Amino acid sequence: MKVSVTWNASAAADPLASPMSFSAATESGHSVMMDGAAAGPGDPLGGRNLAPRPMEMLLVGTGGCTAYDVVLILRKGRHDVRECSVRLEAERAPSDPKVFTKIHFHFVLAGHGLRAEVVERAITLSHEKYCSASVMLGLSAALSHSFEIIETGARPEA
């Protein structure tokens, strides 16, 4: 896997006063912007808060990875899952390198007849076996999860 990350230094006439924004291009042909927190008054070295921060992108990728796994596991098991979202809340170390120390995943799944034990198994498999991002982050952070299931009713017969 390859990505390219480029500082957008040319966005300002003076490179020393340029924003702390970066553009990334992925091997699969997609692009994304990243930026830093807004600088304080008189501080030209901060970001402008125009895009997610890099550490937020790490959580975004982890959430996408595990949500993908959970839906795939449930669908392969022929469970009637119709919606899935996951909210991640993380804590970071107080000093540099400020790694994640705790990450909580809260899943909300909607479907017909989804059983709690099946959803729990899918989430556990994702976190412990299939989602590379959560397995990797679990080496430095305590991971926890919770979930809720919303019953949607049976699909109409075709």
Side-chain angles (χ1 to χ4, degrees):
M1 182 180 300
K2 297 178 184 178
V3 299
S4 165
V5 178
T6 304
W7 177 36
N8 298 321
S10 62
D14 177 4
L16 294 177
S18 79
M20 291 301 290
S21 69
F22 295 81
S23 57
T26 67
E27 188 173 32
S28 59
H30 300 281
S31 61
V32 66
M33 296 294 294
M34 294 174 281
D35 197 4
D43 179 5
L45 299 179
R48 295 190 179 155
N49 198 31
L50 297 175
R53 291 159 188 62
M55 290 298 282
E56 289 173 327
M57 294 297 295
L58 190 54
L59 282 182
V60 166
T62 303
C65 180
T66 192
Y68 180 95
D69 288 342
V70 169
V71 170
L72 187 63
I73 291 165
L74 293 172
R75 289 179 72 191
K76 281 186 173 181
R78 301 200 184 279
H79 298 283
D80 187 0
V81 61
R82 301 187 197 166
E83 296 177 24
C84 176
S85 64
V86 61
R87 183 179 66 243
L88 287 73
E89 293 186 27
E91 293 180 19
R92 293 176 67 185
S95 58
D96 289 333
K98 296 182 183 173
V99 298
F100 290 119
T101 57
K102 294 181 183 177
I103 305 172
H104 181 75
F105 300 74
H106 181 73
F107 292 83
V108 178
L109 294 117
H112 177 62
L114 292 175
R115 297 187 329 269
E117 62 273 11
V118 171
V119 171
E120 176 68 37
R121 179 179 174 275
I123 294 169
T124 299
L125 280 171
S126 174
H127 285 184
E128 295 178 0
K129 184 175 183 179
Y130 295 114
C131 177
S132 305
S134 62
V135 170
M136 191 168 35
L137 286 173
L139 298 175
S140 66
L143 305 183
S144 61
H145 67 266
S146 58
F147 64 89
E148 57 188 280
I149 299 170
I150 299 169
E151 177 61 39
T152 58
R155 291 189 190 268
E157 294 294 324

